[in-house]
Amino acid sequence: MNSFHFPLSRSDAEALDARDPLAHCRAAFALPEGITYLVGHSLGPATQGALLALQRAADEGWVRDRVSAWNSANWIGLAEQVGAKLARLIGAGERDVLVCDSVSVNLFKLAASAQPLAAARRLVVEEDEFPTDQYILEGLSSMTGVELVRAEAGKGVAELKGGVLVKSLVNYRTGEVADVAGDEAAAQAGGGLIVWDLSHATGVLDVRLKAWGARLAAGCTYKYLNGGPGAPAFVFVDEALAPELASPLPGWMGHAAAFDFKSTYQPKEGVARFAAGTPPILSLAALDGALEIFHGLNMADVQEKARRLSQMCLMLAEKAELKISCPLEADRRGGHISVRHCEGYAVVRAMADWGIEADFRAPDTIRFGLSPLFLSYAEVWDAMQELTEILETRSWDKACYREKAVVT
Amino acid sequence: MNSFHFPLSRSDAEALDARDPLAHCRAAFALPEGITYLVGHSLGPATQGALLALQRAADEGWVRDRVSAWNSANWIGLAEQVGAKLARLIGAGERDVLVCDSVSVNLFKLAASAQPLAAARRLVVEEDEFPTDQYILEGLSSMTGVELVRAEAGKGVAELKGGVLVKSLVNYRTGEVADVAGDEAAAQAGGGLIVWDLSHATGVLDVRLKAWGARLAAGCTYKYLNGGPGAPAFVFVDEALAPELASPLPGWMGHAAAFDFKSTYQPKEGVARFAAGTPPILSLAALDGALEIFHGLNMADVQEKARRLSQMCLMLAEKAELKISCPLEADRRGGHISVRHCEGYAVVRAMADWGIEADFRAPDTIRFGLSPLFLSYAEVWDAMQELTEILETRSWDKACYREKAVVT
């Protein structure tokens, strides 16, 4: 990343803002003035498009058309329609993504349906994986008797041995990015399958599932996609693999003819077979509206800005002598950076008093989400200066966080 | 039901309206004038409370407080809070109900976690059960190798033999009500468990789960509870049984300390262990607001009005010489009645032209939902007179529907 340009000064930051291809997006967000929101990796803020779509679903759907809105507002096809919009953002075919349920439930569906196709009866998860991914595999292992192996961080593929691995593209804590193409090649060579958890990647990285050879993925939509609190999650299945997969949760919405009310199950074609029950339409409508802002955006631009923002942020965190707990190279990270401070919770509260919102993960991790659609370089620059002042002017126990790192 | 009084004339209907303890509820619904909405058993209409709660969740939660709303608006506890409100309506302890996921997913969780406690490795479902209940048991059977038995309609308990039965309290097609107390006693005597599907019962019948000895139930909230399209479903677990149940979908929201991000799973106490992923907050907030209308209502009054309405409706359907396909006795039915007409779809469309909304289920079933909170006796009387006129004045093939029945 030596040729990688990120702002080294506030005037650099201003210059990048002036030619930012995403600068127009900020106006679409319902974010109050005076707030620097560095928690878009946890809950993306509302956009006008999402709020409008939500209101329409309530007023024109539920109130005006009532049950007829299943047809008039295409609620019946909404999960697939929103999936198609989302597909472009992760490099998937537009018929290969379905919005449904939660990440937890979707990981279960994918891992359970992939297991019979794997060379080995073996489930693998890395020990620093997001907890729900670990728990869900525990549940699946208990139900089916298939062995669950907890691999060391980064060793999931090495331990795969023809089984099914659930792995995050971006680690929730450190922000580290996995090598999807490399991991897929290794997994497939051994008859194994990987279910990618894209929760911290979608909407901020230039994810290219098909090009990378990924075949199964799930992810959440309430982070960088700004779909709303607890917005429904998604499933991606490669079209060639889909016909071989039987959902363990074959609800009526995944039936090829749901309204024929047949006793025998006939799954829909493709990824749509992973629908289970009736989707939460109001939440789904908000997500539909939230995705409008991505229309016409180049995801490479989005990723580039996230990397510049995060690299600048990391440089300033280093200057503030914070312990860095994420990769230092921009192309090995997702959209957030992580630092450590033993009084991290108090630091985050102090920042909030200045209108800078960040998050804290026990025991000592502070995360800054660098959402490229609503943050400016200058704004993040100023936030980090404020953090530096907070650290300098209060009587923190400096021994607990200062550490040298080299950001390039 | 010989002593049962239901309106036999329009003036009877008016008289009952005049002393209806639920009459005040109508004003809380966002229903247009001139519409008689007989589809509340499919999608309950919006209430002002639900719309307001939805708007608050968006404006005061997502927009104003952003990620902090997980605490400030108690989003983190919302699934349990709404569960507690719902519990009173189904005769459950207020800590024994959790709102989460869809009915399909919840039936899976309950049946899967109940199976290890049952005397026999056997899953049972009746062949006229709502399709998703059948499909979900198929999926569970395929995953676990536990035999699935399809019993004849009404023979589920007889075929249980110590296994796990999934059974609707109110049949979706015929509206017939099961005998929960009797079925539970028979099931428990043989070491079996029943997972009750309350979808067509909750909010319209005086359901008394604990008094009846029910131990496991799931149900939907978008019918008579008016929670909104695809509103999240619920799970009920008897508190004595809960500690023995391990959810097959142990997502992070069911963890006793979700934000400690531990690798090992420690379920929450009680029914809350059935939470999986992050709930769809916007949809959940609407449901929360929708339940306000039930505050202070006596569910016995609600059930009584539903029965009077449906009995009156059935009498008028009989006069119109429609084939009746639901029980004729009011106390054997839920909140809807079913009739058959080989041109049923066209009949429903013709009624819609007169502002009367009913629904059609292939091949020939017309259903009228008699939601007691927003329908008046006189309004339903008039709707059925309109239907009679439609049937009399158009050239329907009368041979295809006329049949004698005796409504008492």
Side-chain angles (χ1 to χ4, degrees), chain A residues 29-330:
Chain A
F29 283 87
L31 266 171
E33 283 301 306
I35 295 293
T36 295
Y37 191 64
L38 302 176
V39 206
H41 62 287
S42 178
L43 176 66
T47 61
Q48 309 297 350
L51 295 172
L52 187 63
L54 178 63
Q55 194 175 345
R56 279 199 179 144
D59 292 349
E60 295 173 22
W62 192 13
V63 173
R64 190 191 65 192
D65 290 355
R66 298 173 296 285
V67 74
S68 308
W70 283 100
N71 296 315
S72 66
N74 191 31
W75 288 348
I76 197 68
L78 198 54
E80 291 175 57
Q81 177 187 310
V82 182
K85 285 188 188 174
L86 204 157
R88 191 185 66 83
L89 310 183
I90 54 175
E94 71 168 25
R95 295 174 55 86
D96 300 338
V97 177
L98 179 78
V99 173
C100 55
D101 298 307
S102 63
V103 176
S104 300
V105 171
N106 289 341
L107 291 174
F108 181 86
K109 290 177 198 163
L110 292 178
S113 60
Q115 180 55 56
L117 307 182
R121 278 176 59 82
R122 185 176 168 92
L123 298 166
V124 183
V125 68
E126 296 179 13
E127 60 191 11
D128 70 337
E129 191 50 83
F130 188 75
T132 214
D133 303 49
Q134 300 187 48
Y135 306 153
I136 287 291
L137 286 189
E138 269 182 29
L140 180 57
S141 172
S142 296
M143 270 192 85
T144 57
V146 176
E147 176 192 25
L148 172 61
V149 176
R150 285 179 196 276
E152 278 177 46
K155 303 288 188 197
V157 174
E159 288 292 329
L160 186 51
K161 299 176 184 172
V164 173
L165 170 68
V166 170
K167 185 171 169 63
S168 284
L169 174 48
V170 175
N171 183 283
Y172 81 106
R173 195 182 289 272
T174 65
E176 179 149 13
V177 175
D179 170 16
V180 178
D183 286 351
E184 277 289 343
Q188 292 181 33
L193 292 111
I194 304 178
V195 178
W196 291 98
D197 181 344
L198 304 182
S199 295
H200 279 277
T202 312
V204 69
L205 293 189
D206 188 15
V207 178
R208 297 174 179 244
L209 289 179
K210 277 183 90 93
W212 294 341
R215 298 182 294 169
L216 301 163
C220 100
T221 65
Y222 53 75
K223 298 177 184 292
Y224 300 103
L225 294 177
N226 315 302
F234 67 88
V235 169
F236 157 82
V237 175
D238 180 71
E239 63 186 334
L241 197 59
E244 298 177 58
L245 298 169
S247 173
L249 293 166
W252 71 314
M253 285 288 166
H255 195 286
F259 290 89
D260 285 357
F261 299 98
K262 290 281 195 328
S263 288
T264 49
Y265 198 70
Q266 175 64 41
K268 282 184 175 163
E269 297 288 319
V271 71
R273 69 187 53 206
F274 284 99
T278 309
I281 292 296
L282 298 173
S283 289
L284 184 54
L287 170 60
D288 190 27
L291 294 183
E292 284 169 16
I293 202 171
F294 286 93
H295 184 74
L297 294 192
N298 183 340
M299 290 308 293
D301 289 340
V302 175
Q303 173 174 287
E304 183 75 1
K305 183 174 174 187
R307 287 182 169 170
R308 283 179 171 151
L309 277 169
S310 62
Q311 203 67 356
M312 179 187 82
C313 195
L314 205 54
M315 174 190 74
L316 296 171
E318 190 200 8
K319 280 191 182 157
E321 300 182 40
L322 282 162
K323 283 184 194 168
I324 308 297
S325 55
C326 60
L328 300 178
E329 302 88 342

Side-chain angles (χ1 to χ4, degrees), chain A residues 66 132 135 252 262 357, chain B residues 44 66 132 135 252 262 357:
Chain A
R66 298 173 296 285
T132 214
Y135 306 153
W252 71 314
K262 290 281 195 328
E357 300 181 1
Chain B
R66 297 172 296 286
T132 214
Y135 307 154
W252 71 314
K262 292 280 197 325
E357 302 182 359

